[in-house]
Amino acid sequence: MLDLVHYSTFSNKEKFLHKIDVSSHLAICHSSIEIDDRTSWGIEILSNNAKNVWDVFYDARKQSLKINNQSISIRDFVQNTEKNPVITAKPLIDATSLSYPELQYLFYWFNKIGEPFDLLYVEPEGYSPSSRDKFTLSEDGLGLVQLSPFLGRIQNNIIYIISIGFEGHRVEGLLNNDEYSNPGIQEIKLIVGVPAFKAGFDRDSLKANISALTQIKQMSSREVYIAPANNPWVIIKYLNKVLKSLDKRDGYRQKLSLIPFGTKPVAIGMAWFAVKNQENTIVTYDHVKNIQGRSKGIGKVHFAQFDNID
Amino acid sequence: MKLIKLLNTLGATRTEQQHFSYSVYKKFVVPLALAQYDLREMGHSIILQGSRGCGKTTFIRYFSHWTQFDKKRSSLESDSVNSVILYWKPDTAFFRSISYGWLQEDEAFQFFMVIAGLEIFEELLSAVDNMSHHWPEIINELERSTEFWPSIKLITGLNDRDICSQLQWVKKQLYIAETAIQGPNTSELTSISPSAILKLLVPIIQRECSRLNNVRFSIYVDEFENLSEQQQKIINGYRKGSDATLTWNVAHKRFAKIVNKTDGIEQITETDDFRNLYMEEIYGAEKRSQSYEGIYDYGANSQVFTSEVFLHGLLSEGIASDIEGLSCETLTDLEHINYRQQKEYQERILKLMRKLFPEPQVPELATISMQQKGVKNLVEKQLLKSKIIPVETINEFIKKRPSDAFVSWCISQQKTFKPEQLLDFINNGGATAFKERVRTYSMTALLNMNARFNYVEIPIYSGFERFIALSQSNIRHFIELCYQSLSQLDSEGIELNTLNNIPSVSYEQMHQGAIETSKSFIGKINGFEPSGQKLSLLVNRLGILFQSYQRQAVQSEPEKVSIVVKSVYGEFPEEIDSLLESAKCWRVLIQDEITRDRSAKTVVSSSSQFRLGPICSPGFKISYRKGRTIQLTLEEFTNLCFANNILFQKWLNDHIESEQEIVEQGALF
């Protein structure tokens, strides 16, 4: 059985390159678009050094993955049909360039086939606000949609777990969405990234989400969970704790609805938890489109290993 | 009760989440025109439309069995019914997700049919349960029926002859379906469909229950626009097949994009297959003749109703009514509609609202603003530039007729201004043209002063009627305006017992409340899915554009707060069209019939104009009235919608600059 077995953080890219050899890996990234400095760096390192490279892109409208220009439906992909590509070396997932759905499906597949893999994530040096207290890091996407196969009826009594980042409008989009606000969000848990990637990011994140937080404050059952912004371990542990507390009355277990709007490491924790607890988890994502130049510089580099624990 | 406690409770209620029961018993303020729009009396399939927050859902729930047969009722409104209303709010977030590529087409169809069928079965069983509570003979007759329970057994396989066990079965099957979809695996799904379940059971209920013999069953599908295209087509097929015993109806946001095709080869069309009902008309607004769809006059009936909804909130929280004839009971009970239509009663309601939220008229606002030293100095300095008018005359004019002096400040900055006309106006009342000009530019002057000088805050958004104009009878916005205004009071020490105890809110407090409501609304636009960010950008840029016009020193025309986009035959590219449709649906833009623009030099092919929803006005310090238009080319409008901030700012600067040149060259009066 696969699990997250190792997670290390390097203070800069040089230290990462000194310690980790990517030349024997099958790099999996979204190489066709270089959004910002860190993404470009990651793609360059992987393209030039990895044994093989897969360019992966998720098409939310078609619910399919494009791997090196070959389209495969999500259903075929997660069911591991013969349409899936052949893994030629140990996979190294570039979480910096890949979006949440792409990570979610890769995790699902590797977990299903018991394929150990590594993961790389690069923090930015900073984000540029588009105006005071407002960060425009992405454009409108498809809107809130549940990610198959993590589906479930939201009219049931479910617990929403939302990680927040710099884009308060994404949380507001959920809170003001009639589909969610009626019948209503009975229980909500917010994951706030503290400590943040850098001092001051946590303050920026709270300021960007102030309007959503004000709305959530009015709700009767809400909780704020403070967790490091760059540590998926803590998130997995927290979600497991919440899972144990779920209402199991009438033989039907309550579900968790995961909404990953926060940092990528937190999203990695959520995605891995969802894979391990599919029956109890709904995953909802808004499929926003990242915009060019959303961050600046290259910060710390994270490296994770998912391996068999049996 | 302390005002602060009331505000806290109201604050919680405004965000209160819905609970399981759909009943709005004692919570629904009955509209005066209810008889005309009684859903139980409708002989056709209905589409109920209205903007977000106008009360569509509450309206349907009022007529549904959840409210009409609420178990908390001690007696029913009537001893017989013509129709039973079922309410189905599909879990659209889930349904839309199952319609994508995860499932094959046949599986998506099967899952939708099973889950929808189970939910509608649950709704029908709940209706039988609620009706039997008040009319026990229903369950007794069904017990004796040789068809009802055997038919139920056919569906569920259960021998239990009680509703509770059957509902538990539904719950279990929904759980199985929800789990099976993750496979996906259709082999464990039960066999059920929405239409079949009703076609099987409704005729039996109608036949076997003496009270329901000739009773029509109507099912209302709420938030229809959020279902996928294919799911809408399936429901449309049911709507097409509606008959005298069973009708399918839908409710959706006005201007939402919906499908008119069925899942067969047919289409559904108005008159033949359905009738439209509009919430604004139900709540008393009057449609303007030959005006664009969705444009209404919010007359006395509409104003009274909106006020009653607000007052009902206060009464429900324990504030006693000292207004003759006003109580929770009179507002929520059908019996009292005639009374509520009486002029005297309506005047009492409006009088109370005008007392709580007093409204300064425009001349009064101008007079108030002149009490601010900064404003008076600005006016004095400007008027003294007219060399032919003696200083004493100007000073006397400002002292004796501050409102006229204030408007003259604005007019005197126009290129066409002639000091002798002002002198004549001061000394002799002036010619009609100047008097007319003072009347025309009074609001413009107030808006201009507010927009240009940050230290000036003239309370132009205050007052009950202005709240009605700002909210356009949208109940959610109106209540928010009232609530935010009351929140400005120093609530700590104020004790309330009765409605008349509530102190009047000052002009400044209402103005502040309106600005906060507006800013909060504007801030939420980027969450209006799926184009929230684009809508937010459009609204903010239009707000900045209108504000730029309004802060110009020379106001050639009053209040330019609408745009006309010049395009061939009024056609727009798909991207623009879709954004405008979304903006109309979320009510952030309002489409008006075109008004003649005095400055128009070219023929405009576009047949309509757009302005911001009035609730956005206080946030941008712009006019909430219809105003005059700004003409934009399609290229300019496209840039306004999509260009980056640097390009937009450059365009705005150039545009305003060229506009100023035109103003300086032209002569309006």
Side-chain angles (χ1 to χ4, degrees):
Chain A
M1 186 175 68
L2 281 193
D3 214 339
L4 174 58
V5 293
H6 174 81
Y7 191 80
S8 51
T9 301
F10 301 90
S11 56
N12 57 48
K13 59 183 194 291
E14 288 77 21
K15 285 188 178 161
F16 168 77
L17 290 173
H18 181 68
K19 279 272 183 194
I20 306 291
D21 176 18
V22 299
S23 64
S24 59
H25 279 91
L26 160 66
I28 303 177
C29 54
H30 182 29
S31 60
S32 359
I33 187 159
E34 295 179 4
I35 289 287
D36 45 19
D37 299 338
R38 59 193 173 128
T39 318
S40 302
W41 176 78
I43 290 169
E44 191 190 331
I45 292 296
L46 296 175
S47 305
N48 293 338
N49 300 294
K51 192 175 171 187
N52 291 108
V53 179
W54 284 358
D55 179 31
V56 176
F57 170 71
Y58 176 65
D59 185 334
R61 289 187 194 277
K62 293 183 185 160
Q63 281 209 4
S64 65
L65 279 175
K66 214 174 220 182
I67 303 176
N68 289 346
N69 282 328
Q70 291 287 317
S71 196
I72 177 167
S73 77
I74 282 308
R75 180 164 170 166
D76 285 340
F77 187 73
V78 301
Q79 288 181 344
N80 189 34
T81 62
E82 72 275 7
K83 291 178 187 166
N84 285 29
V86 178
I87 300 166
T88 50
K90 188 176 189 186
L92 171 60
I93 295 176
D94 175 28
T96 323
S97 62
L98 295 172
S99 67
Y100 183 87
E102 289 147 5
L103 292 177
Q104 183 72 81
Y105 291 125
L106 288 166
F107 285 4
Y108 193 103
W109 183 40
F110 291 150
N111 182 60
K112 185 173 180 124
I113 62 173
E115 176 71 41
F117 65 97
D118 295 341
L119 180 141
L120 164 73
Y121 175 68
V122 187
E123 288 182 16
E125 266 294 305
Y127 294 97
S128 331
S130 55
S131 58
R132 201 168 152 255
D133 301 343
K134 200 180 169 213
F135 293 83
T136 307
L137 308 183
S138 51
E139 289 174 357
D140 291 323
L142 187 64
L144 288 162
V145 181
Q146 296 180 2
L147 283 189
S148 309
F150 307 96
L151 306 169
R153 295 163 72 236
I154 61 161
Q155 284 179 1
N156 290 339
N157 177 19
I158 58 176
I159 299 176
Y160 287 84
I161 301 186
I162 308 172
S163 62
I164 62 166
F166 279 4
E167 298 173 287
H169 65 88
R170 295 174 72 182
V171 185
E172 283 179 66
L174 173 84
L175 299 175
N176 296 317
N177 186 315
D178 293 334
E179 292 179 322
Y180 292 84
S181 59
N182 181 8
I185 296 173
Q186 277 99 6
E187 198 169 348
I188 194 164
K189 293 178 194 293
L190 280 188
I191 299 176
V192 180
V194 180
F197 289 169
K198 286 185 83 173
F201 279 15
D202 42 0
R203 182 205 55 201
D204 291 342
S205 168
L206 288 173
K207 277 165 99 176
N209 283 281
I210 196 74
S211 171
L213 291 169
T214 311
Q215 252 179 290
I216 290 168
K217 199 178 152 202
Q218 306 275 359
M219 295 178 179
S220 54
S221 185
R222 79 271 176 189
E223 178 187 286
V224 173
Y225 181 69
I226 306 291
N230 58 12
N231 192 338
W233 275 109
V234 181
I235 301 304
I236 295 169
K237 202 173 151 194
Y238 169 66
L239 293 173
N240 276 312
K241 193 178 137 206
V242 177
L243 181 72
K244 279 186 190 152
S245 71
L246 292 185
D247 188 353
K248 281 183 268 184
R249 268 175 298 185
D250 303 332
Y252 311 118
R253 202 168 194 175
Q254 235 182 332
K255 280 196 170 192
L256 297 180
S257 179
L258 305 184
I259 300 169
F261 291 160
T263 63
K264 200 56 88 50
V266 171
I268 290 166
M270 288 174 129
W272 188 250
F273 171 85
V275 163
K276 290 291 183 182
N277 299 279
Q278 185 192 335
E279 216 174 281
N280 307 298
T281 311
I282 299 169
V283 179
T284 305
Y285 193 65
D286 54 2
H287 300 281
V288 291
K289 298 173 205 151
N290 287 346
I291 62 166
Q292 206 77 30
R294 64 201 304 265
S295 77
K296 283 179 182 161
I298 300 167
K300 291 178 191 161
V301 183
H302 303 269
F303 184 72
Q305 291 182 307
F306 293 77
D307 212 335
N308 281 307
I309 53 166
D310 298 329
Chain B
M1 180 189 273
K2 291 257 190 224
L3 177 60
I4 190 161
K5 194 180 165 209
L6 174 72
L7 290 173
N8 287 340
T9 321
L10 284 177
T13 313
R14 279 154 56 243
T15 55
E16 188 185 27
Q17 307 306 314
Q18 306 288 328
H19 297 294
F20 173 70
S21 174
Y22 289 136
S23 174
V24 291
Y25 178 53
K26 289 197 171 171
K27 292 179 199 158
F28 177 71
V29 177
V30 180
L32 297 179
L34 190 88
Q36 199 184 333
Y37 299 103
D38 191 331
L39 297 183
R40 295 164 300 186
E41 303 298 329
M42 297 296 164
H44 294 86
S45 174
I46 294 296
I47 294 188
L48 185 66
Q49 298 191 50
S51 59
R52 184 175 185 250
C54 70
K56 294 181 292 293
T57 297
T58 311
F59 190 69
I60 304 170
R61 286 180 184 177
Y62 171 74
F63 291 109
S64 78
H65 65 92
W66 292 102
T67 305
Q68 294 305 317
F69 293 92
D70 189 314
K71 291 178 181 174
K72 289 200 285 289
R73 277 182 185 272
S74 54
S75 64
L76 298 179
E77 279 174 8
S78 166
D79 204 31
S80 64
V81 290
N82 290 332
S83 121
V84 173
I85 307 280
L86 306 176
Y87 173 76
W88 181 43
K89 183 193 174 302
D91 193 333
T92 47
F94 175 59
F95 277 133
R96 225 180 28 257
S97 301
I98 67 172
S99 67
Y100 282 93
W102 173 244
L103 304 170
Q104 317 272 3
E105 203 179 330
D106 58 331
E107 289 170 337
F109 177 78
Q110 198 177 348
F111 272 105
F112 175 71
M113 294 305 254
V114 168
I115 296 171
L118 286 167
E119 289 181 346
I120 284 167
F121 182 38
E122 188 177 34
E123 175 66 8
L124 183 65
L125 289 175
S126 301
V128 171
D129 187 42
N130 285 334
M131 288 190 289
S132 299
H133 179 85
H134 293 278
W135 293 336
E137 61 271 34
I138 286 182
I139 201 74
N140 294 335
E141 284 165 343
L142 291 176
E143 181 62 39
R144 287 194 295 273
S145 161
T146 54
E147 287 183 90
F148 183 72
W149 287 111
S151 298
I152 296 275
K153 192 186 169 192
L154 192 69
I155 301 161
T156 67
L158 297 180
N159 285 317
D160 306 69
R161 290 188 156 218
D162 73 288
I163 303 264
C164 206
S165 303
Q166 305 298 336
L167 286 172
Q168 192 59 27
W169 176 86
V170 171
K171 202 174 167 188
K172 188 179 164 192
Q173 291 305 319
L174 283 169
Y175 179 78
I176 290 170
E178 210 179 325
T179 312
I181 207 166
Q182 297 191 352
N185 173 16
T186 53
S187 64
E188 286 180 35
L189 293 183
T190 188
S191 185
I192 198 167
S193 88
S195 171
I197 203 95
L198 293 177
K199 279 186 178 162
L200 172 69
L201 295 176
V202 166
I204 298 174
I205 295 170
Q206 286 165 329
R207 203 163 47 240
E208 304 286 345
C209 304
S210 48
R211 281 188 184 269
L212 305 174
N213 280 165
N214 292 311
V215 168
R216 176 200 306 270
F217 277 66
S218 292
I219 181 154
Y220 277 80
V221 183
D222 202 0
E223 290 185 17
F224 180 66
E225 75 275 24
N226 290 331
L227 287 171
S228 75
E229 212 171 277
Q230 186 54 33
Q231 291 159 358
Q232 288 184 26
K233 285 180 184 172
I234 294 170
I235 301 296
N236 286 344
Y238 297 160
R239 289 164 67 200
K240 186 93 184 163
S242 292
D243 58 28
T245 54
L246 177 65
T247 56
W248 282 80
N249 314 270
V250 299
H252 63 73
K253 272 194 214 78
R254 196 144 195 195
F255 303 116
K257 258 189 181 170
I258 54 156
V259 177
N260 281 328
K261 285 183 182 161
T262 65
D263 51 348
I265 50 164
E266 294 171 309
Q267 288 227 344
I268 51 163
T269 51
E270 195 174 357
T271 313
D272 284 346
D273 301 307
F274 64 87
R275 302 281 155 86
N276 276 304
L277 287 188
Y278 300 105
M279 286 310 298
E280 290 87 351
E281 291 166 29
I282 292 169
Y283 290 158
E286 286 163 30
K287 194 173 183 334
R288 284 187 208 158
S289 61
Q290 295 180 327
S291 73
Y292 253 83
E293 203 187 331
I295 306 295
Y296 290 94
D297 279 328
Y298 299 100
N301 274 347
S302 166
Q303 290 184 15
V304 169
F305 179 75
T306 314
S307 305
E308 286 177 324
V309 175
F310 166 69
L311 293 171
H312 178 259
L314 299 181
L315 295 173
S316 304
E317 295 307 327
I319 303 292
S321 169
D322 45 5
I323 305 297
E324 192 188 333
L326 175 70
S327 68
C328 274
E329 198 195 353
T330 48
L331 294 176
T332 57
D333 199 330
L334 211 57
E335 297 261 304
H336 303 280
I337 279 190
N338 287 343
Y339 177 78
R340 285 168 53 213
Q341 280 172 330
Q342 288 174 17
K343 205 176 167 197
E344 296 76 20
Y345 165 83
Q346 296 202 342
E347 276 170 2
R348 283 197 292 276
I349 297 294
L350 294 176
K351 190 178 164 197
L352 172 67
M353 291 304 283
R354 286 176 185 135
K355 176 187 163 277
L356 290 176
F357 305 106
E359 181 156 316
Q361 296 308 304
V362 172
E364 189 186 351
L365 282 170
T367 307
I368 291 168
S369 67
M370 288 292 279
Q371 286 161 8
Q372 296 180 34
K373 203 176 169 190
V375 175
K376 194 180 161 196
N377 287 344
L378 283 167
V379 172
E380 196 176 315
K381 199 175 157 193
Q382 176 64 31
L383 296 185
L384 284 173
K385 287 181 185 169
S386 315
K387 304 284 183 213
I388 65 157
I389 309 173
V391 178
E392 304 76 45
T393 308
I394 293 289
N395 288 339
E396 193 66 8
F397 179 50
I398 289 172
K399 195 175 164 189
K400 294 266 175 64
R401 292 158 62 191
S403 169
D404 287 343
F406 181 85
V407 185
S408 301
W409 161 80
C410 178
I411 296 169
S412 67
Q413 293 171 74
Q414 293 170 355
K415 198 76 181 167
T416 53
F417 169 69
K418 293 187 173 66
E420 52 275 20
Q421 286 183 346
L422 175 60
L423 186 61
D424 185 37
F425 177 65
I426 294 171
N427 290 334
N428 313 312
T432 318
F434 199 89
K435 266 197 267 183
E436 179 61 21
R437 211 158 157 180
V438 168
R439 197 189 62 79
T440 308
Y441 282 95
S442 51
M443 187 51 128
T444 312
L446 293 166
L447 289 158
N448 185 234
M449 184 69 86
N450 258 4
R452 275 170 69 187
F453 305 101
N454 282 337
Y455 57 89
V456 177
E457 200 70 83
I458 308 167
I460 47 182
Y461 304 112
S462 52
F464 168 65
E465 266 88 4
R466 288 200 184 99
F467 281 5
I468 292 282
L470 289 173
S471 63
Q472 300 257 302
S473 250
N474 180 306
I475 290 166
R476 208 178 284 182
H477 291 331
F478 181 78
I479 289 177
E480 199 60 22
L481 285 164
C482 296
Y483 170 82
Q484 290 296 349
S485 301
L486 284 170
S487 300
Q488 305 296 319
L489 289 168
D490 181 15
S491 54
E492 197 61 51
I494 299 174
E495 188 78 35
L496 300 175
N497 297 314
T498 67
L499 292 174
N500 269 318
N501 263 169
I502 302 175
S504 296
V505 187
S506 74
Y507 300 155
E508 291 74 20
Q509 287 164 334
M510 283 185 278
H511 181 76
Q512 203 50 42
I515 289 174
E516 281 181 24
T517 303
S518 177
K519 283 189 170 170
S520 162
F521 176 77
I522 294 165
K524 284 177 181 165
I525 293 172
N526 54 14
F528 290 176
E529 287 210 315
S531 310
Q533 277 181 280
K534 289 192 190 87
L535 288 179
S536 175
L537 197 69
L538 173 62
V539 167
N540 279 289
R541 286 181 174 181
L542 282 175
I544 292 168
L545 174 67
F546 297 146
Q547 199 183 56
S548 302
Y549 269 88
Q550 219 152 262
R551 64 195 319 161
Q552 287 182 64
V554 181
Q555 293 286 307
S556 67
E557 284 187 292
E559 304 158 67
K560 280 197 165 187
V561 283
S562 293
I563 54 159
V564 168
V565 184
K566 291 184 276 185
S567 68
V568 180
Y569 304 116
E571 283 179 2
F572 299 125
E574 165 65 25
E575 197 178 18
I576 299 271
D577 218 23
S578 146
L579 187 64
L580 288 173
E581 286 304 311
S582 178
K584 277 163 64 185
C585 182
W586 283 103
R587 211 72 182 149
V588 295
L589 286 191
I590 289 175
Q591 187 172 17
D592 282 312
E593 67 271 38
I594 209 153
T595 46
R596 194 170 69 86
D597 197 318
R598 284 163 175 271
S599 68
K601 289 195 173 71
T602 50
V603 177
V604 179
S605 314
S606 170
S607 60
S608 55
Q609 65 187 49
F610 295 91
R611 64 188 155 113
L612 289 174
I615 195 68
C616 299
S617 304
F620 293 116
K621 291 191 169 184
I622 57 174
S623 175
Y624 53 88
R625 307 193 304 184
K626 193 174 164 190
R628 297 277 170 82
T629 57
I630 300 166
Q631 285 189 30
L632 299 177
T633 63
L634 183 57
E635 191 188 349
E636 284 177 311
F637 185 63
T638 308
N639 282 335
L640 190 139
C641 293
F642 304 117
N644 65 36
N645 286 343
I646 298 166
L647 279 177
F648 168 71
Q649 197 56 52
K650 187 184 174 311
W651 170 80
L652 182 68
N653 294 342
D654 294 348
H655 182 80
I656 294 297
E657 207 173 292
S658 67
E659 178 66 20
Q660 272 165 352
E661 282 167 19
I662 293 166
V663 167
E664 279 166 23
Q665 290 160 11
L668 183 63
F669 286 91

